[in-house]
Amino acid sequence: MIDPNKIYTAHYIDNEQKTLEVMLGTDEPGVFENMVIPYDPTEDNCKSVLGVINDDQLMENTYTRRKAEKQAFIDLAVSIAKEDNVDLDPVLLESDSGYWPKFVSALFTDIENEDHLFALKLALFENEKIRSSEDTDTKAELRQGKTKSEVLMAALQISTGKKPVKKKTVKKKKKVSK
């Protein structure tokens, strides 16, 4: 049976939350022994763990561990890519959809931030199509844009070659009653 005094931490190791990994302290400082046990509150080893670490703490420990493992994986992938001279953005590794919510948030938050605008304009002018465009008027609009939306609209005009269509407003004539 697990000695409750030796329990350092524990977390789930499966998505079904049926198995725990328990870290137990040893007589040697800083050295731990890992033990894998089934999550069964009627079993003695599990009772010992639950006497020290409650279910909420198990969930928090599991979340923290998985987050740290994910970050370690991302860091490893980025370092390997750098060794091979591959430009790899860690944001893109987080998930397939992780990049776009961040992009949208950046686009619609702090829309007049001068540092963001400057960085956005620089990044856009690194694009070959924008840099080599002969549409000097729209490039000037891009350079002079005061908001992220203005800058992106100008960039999209250059990219697509389409100017925005301004809708004509038609005034309705009032009917004169006789």
Side-chain angles (χ1 to χ4, degrees), residues 3-160:
D3 178 359
N5 295 323
K6 291 192 173 196
I7 297 172
Y8 179 72
T9 189
H11 60 273
Y12 293 105
I13 59 172
D14 57 345
N15 290 334
E16 296 79 24
Q17 300 174 354
K18 293 183 178 181
T19 310
L20 295 174
E21 180 178 29
V22 184
M23 288 181 66
L24 304 169
T26 63
D27 294 335
E28 192 174 332
V31 176
F32 298 94
E33 177 183 323
N34 290 348
M35 179 181 243
V36 175
I37 63 169
Y39 179 83
D40 178 0
T42 64
E43 192 264 333
D44 287 342
N45 282 333
C46 190
K47 281 182 184 177
S48 294
V49 172
L50 293 175
V52 176
I53 301 171
N54 66 31
D55 284 320
D56 289 338
Q57 190 60 49
L58 279 173
M59 292 299 292
E60 180 66 27
N61 292 352
T62 302
Y63 171 79
T64 302
R65 182 169 179 98
R66 287 182 181 167
K67 186 175 176 182
E69 287 172 346
K70 181 179 180 180
Q71 188 59 51
F73 175 76
I74 289 170
D75 293 345
L76 177 63
V78 170
S79 70
I80 291 170
K82 283 182 181 177
E83 287 174 11
D84 292 341
N85 291 323
V86 174
D87 186 20
L88 186 60
D89 186 349
V91 172
L92 297 175
L93 294 175
E94 290 180 8
S95 74
D96 291 342
S97 61
Y99 173 78
W100 294 108
K102 290 177 184 182
F103 173 78
V104 171
S105 175
L107 184 60
F108 293 107
T109 305
D110 205 9
I111 60 173
E112 294 180 4
N113 182 303
E114 290 182 16
D115 292 332
H116 294 182
L117 277 171
F118 182 71
L120 176 60
K121 291 174 186 179
L122 279 178
L124 288 168
F125 274 102
E126 288 179 10
N127 179 280
E128 178 61 32
K129 193 166 192 176
I130 292 173
R131 188 174 51 246
S132 64
S133 172
E134 294 180 13
D135 184 350
T136 56
D137 291 339
T138 308
K139 283 170 77 170
E141 287 177 27
L142 192 154
R143 282 190 193 94
Q144 296 166 4
K146 302 287 185 214
T147 65
K148 295 172 189 176
S149 298
E150 290 173 6
V151 169
L152 284 175
M153 283 190 291
L156 291 171
Q157 285 177 35
I158 293 169
S159 175
T160 63

